[in-house]
Amino acid sequence: MELTRLACPAECRGDRARRAHHDRLLAVETDPDAVVELFETAVTWAELEYPAESTIPPAQWVEFAEKHRWQDPDRALRIFLLAADIARRGARTPVQPHARAVGDGVCPTLVPAPRHLRLAE
């Protein structure tokens, strides 16, 4: 774990509850499985309940990347930026088609033709 200590700022050392998740996030630079886990977490963040006391949330991933030392800082930052963006997009509530008002400009207003009009024969 000496490499972990070298890569971390002082505030990481006191956060024992999140240590396992912290170490998995640090592994994204060297372990392809850790990258896959990060993206799986990002994709499912809005759907599943991750324990706040033991998980670093996506809103802190970019800050996490910026505060730690990496072999390739630009690549690490790109990984975390992309994962955080995926998690943020998943948190959005999609607009349901029935939630739109009729005639709001998205599609033409569909109203029945007046009854007094007749088609020419």
Side-chain angles (χ1 to χ4, degrees):
M1 284 291 181
E2 189 60 33
L3 289 176
T4 300
R5 290 191 185 121
L6 290 174
C8 293
E11 63 261 20
C12 288
R13 295 182 194 116
D15 193 359
R16 295 191 193 284
R18 295 182 177 181
R19 174 58 62 191
H21 190 234
H22 169 277
D23 291 348
R24 285 310 286 163
L25 292 178
L26 278 181
V28 301
E29 189 169 44
T30 57
D31 182 359
D33 289 335
V35 176
V36 172
E37 287 175 21
L38 175 64
F39 283 97
E40 286 175 342
T41 302
V43 168
T44 60
W45 187 262
E47 300 166 7
L48 302 177
E49 292 184 27
Y50 290 91
E53 61 278 352
S54 63
T55 308
I56 299 169
Q60 295 175 5
W61 290 347
V62 174
E63 181 182 357
F64 178 92
E66 292 172 338
K67 287 186 174 184
H68 289 80
R69 284 187 258 166
W70 307 94
Q71 294 171 6
D72 186 340
D74 291 334
R75 181 180 57 203
L77 184 58
R78 285 190 351 249
I79 290 169
F80 284 102
L81 281 167
L82 184 56
D85 185 55
I86 290 168
R88 183 181 53 80
R89 290 173 189 249
R92 293 183 190 161
T93 305
V95 175
Q96 300 299 321
H98 65 277
R100 296 185 185 271
V102 174
D104 69 355
V106 174
C107 57
T109 305
L110 300 175
V111 294
R115 292 188 186 262
H116 67 276
L117 296 178
R118 295 190 183 172
L119 294 175
E121 293 182 24

